[in-house]
Amino acid sequence: MDAHVPQTTVTVHPPDPDGARRVTAGERRLGVAHRIEDLVKFLRHVGLDDIEIEETDLIDWRGGGPETWDEP
């Protein structure tokens, strides 16, 4: 198993006023996403490159789901 795979759910936080969404895995900050493609990069970095983003229980969407991206 990859040492970078999070042992907890990945959380996509609500959009900030500038449209950015923080992405964390437990206490670990993975980055700031402005669009779904950013989230995909973060997930790949932690070894989650074969998941269905809209269907998985590994992602905790807060403040809106995968369709909620406020472009700045």
Side-chain angles (χ1 to χ4, degrees):
M1 177 179 265
D2 188 329
H4 297 297
V5 174
Q7 299 299 310
T8 188
T9 302
V10 172
T11 301
V12 180
H13 298 268
D16 290 338
D18 69 353
R21 296 182 81 170
R22 287 182 308 115
V23 181
T24 58
E27 296 294 317
R28 181 177 173 198
R29 184 178 172 144
L30 300 181
V32 177
H34 290 275
R35 59 193 58 84
I36 198 91
E37 292 82 9
D38 297 334
L39 175 61
V40 169
K41 282 190 227 178
F42 301 145
L43 295 175
R44 280 188 189 137
H45 182 71
V46 297
L48 295 174
D49 50 356
D50 277 340
I51 63 169
E52 293 291 328
I53 291 174
E54 295 84 5
E55 312 246 342
T56 184
D57 291 334
L58 294 175
I59 300 176
D60 176 19
W61 295 94
R62 298 186 182 171
E67 71 286 341
T68 306
W69 298 94
D70 296 332
E71 294 293 329

